[in-house]
Amino acid sequence: MLFSGYIVGYLFLAGAGSGAFFVSACCCIGDAVWKTEGSERLVRSTQMGFCVAPCLVLLASLLLLLDLGNAERVWLVATMPFQSVMSAGAWFVALFTLVSGGLAVAALLVREVPRALLWACCVVGLLLAAGTMGYTGVLLADMVGIDFWRTPWLVALFVASSLSCGVAAITVLDVALLPPTRAAAPSLWRVACVLTCIEACVLAAFMAVQHGYTETARASCDLLLSGRLSAAFWGGVCAAGLAVPLAAHAVAGRLVPAPAAHLVASAGVLVGGLLLRYCVIAAALYTPLALSAL
């Protein structure tokens, strides 16, 4: 692969953490502006997002440090934020970790957090989370020699996957740690279903556009559709990440208890999100240079 497995984990954890914070912050801001009984329950269901976000992004930062491998490369990334997309993204991740971690610590340790501080952390963290989600796709789309990645659809796909994984991480913690009376709000469950459908549509558009882009991009698509990566793509991304969650949404509360369906769907989304990034990176092929371009 062009990138190591550390980068696969880095992109997944950074996306899931920023997605969890983005969803939680949006729910809190929405509740502050349009306060209803449903919005209050949704806020209670998404509070875990503020705690899980800094933990996931901190793990992502550690994976990035392991990928860089030595102190000199870490120093270059830290001191030259505009040298490359990865350097700028690393600063996005670092700032987001500070803001989201500060908000989580304040919520856990301070009895009454000042309202102005809450608003500032939510708004600034929301912007940094959006930048982090988008950066995980821009990092790959900026690579000139990989036709398979050269499309805005890849950025949209990673943003949609990050939001889905963020909601899934929140739901897993809600089901595992909270009593059944405080399980995920029905509106959060509906949001998860909508995000899964959006991710499926964006993935289909990405594959269709890239299959007709260039010969090299088509070859990368064929690796996923019928080549050596087809098992991970069809079994992991499409089945576990999309089909299983949608099926769980259909039978939740009818054939399967709602908490079990929530857990299965969310676990499938997280597995699919990780394998999506692995498949996208592993399928990359360098574009041969035309002689006329030399």
Side-chain angles (χ1 to χ4, degrees):
M1 293 194 301
L2 182 61
F3 291 121
S4 70
Y6 290 131
I7 293 298
V8 175
Y10 167 65
L11 295 176
F12 169 69
L13 292 173
S18 56
F21 187 96
F22 189 90
V23 171
S24 299
C26 285
C27 291
C28 287
I29 293 175
D31 180 61
V33 177
W34 302 287
K35 198 173 189 66
T36 64
E37 183 178 348
S39 68
E40 290 181 1
R41 184 177 180 184
L42 186 59
V43 167
R44 288 195 299 269
S45 294
T46 56
Q47 288 301 297
M48 287 293 183
F50 291 117
C51 296
V52 73
C55 297
L56 293 179
V57 179
L58 183 59
L59 287 176
S61 302
L62 293 177
L63 291 179
L64 178 60
L65 293 177
L66 289 174
D67 181 74
L68 292 174
N70 59 65
E72 182 180 355
R73 296 181 66 188
V74 173
W75 177 255
L76 287 175
V77 169
T79 57
M80 303 179 70
F82 302 108
Q83 181 186 30
S84 65
V85 175
M86 178 173 284
S87 298
W91 271 95
F92 256 116
V93 171
L95 293 174
F96 174 64
T97 304
L98 289 175
V99 172
S100 61
L103 182 60
V105 170
L108 292 173
L109 300 181
V110 180
R111 178 169 298 180
E112 186 174 351
V113 182
R115 189 176 182 85
L117 178 61
L118 285 176
W119 270 102
C121 289
C122 275
V123 173
V124 174
L126 194 68
L127 296 175
L128 291 173
T132 302
M133 287 190 295
Y135 147 73
T136 58
V138 172
L139 174 65
L140 302 185
D142 187 62
M143 298 289 292
V144 177
I146 309 295
D147 283 351
F148 184 55
W149 295 343
R150 298 285 293 176
T151 173
W153 284 107
L154 180 60
V155 181
L157 177 61
F158 274 22
V159 170
S161 176
S162 296
L163 291 171
S164 293
C165 290
V167 174
I170 293 171
T171 304
V172 167
L173 289 177
D174 279 347
V175 173
L177 301 179
L178 297 181
T181 55
R182 290 188 56 194
S187 52
L188 181 63
W189 185 234
R190 289 192 292 270
V191 168
C193 182
V194 170
L195 288 174
T196 302
C197 293
I198 292 174
E199 183 182 353
C201 293
V202 175
L203 175 61
F206 167 73
M207 293 296 293
V209 169
Q210 293 311 93
H211 196 272
Y213 181 34
T214 64
E215 291 287 342
T216 309
R218 184 180 299 111
S220 294
C221 292
D222 290 339
L223 284 176
L224 297 178
L225 298 176
S226 57
R228 60 181 174 82
L229 297 173
S230 58
F233 180 74
W234 290 111
V237 178
C238 297
L242 299 175
V244 170
L246 291 177
H249 282 282
V251 302
R254 301 183 181 91
L255 303 178
V256 179
H262 294 181
L263 191 60
V264 169
S266 300
V269 168
L270 293 174
V271 170
L274 178 61
L275 288 176
L276 171 66
R277 287 152 180 84
Y278 166 76
C279 286
V280 168
I281 290 178
L285 298 173
Y286 279 109
T287 304
L289 290 174
L291 292 177
S292 60
L294 298 177

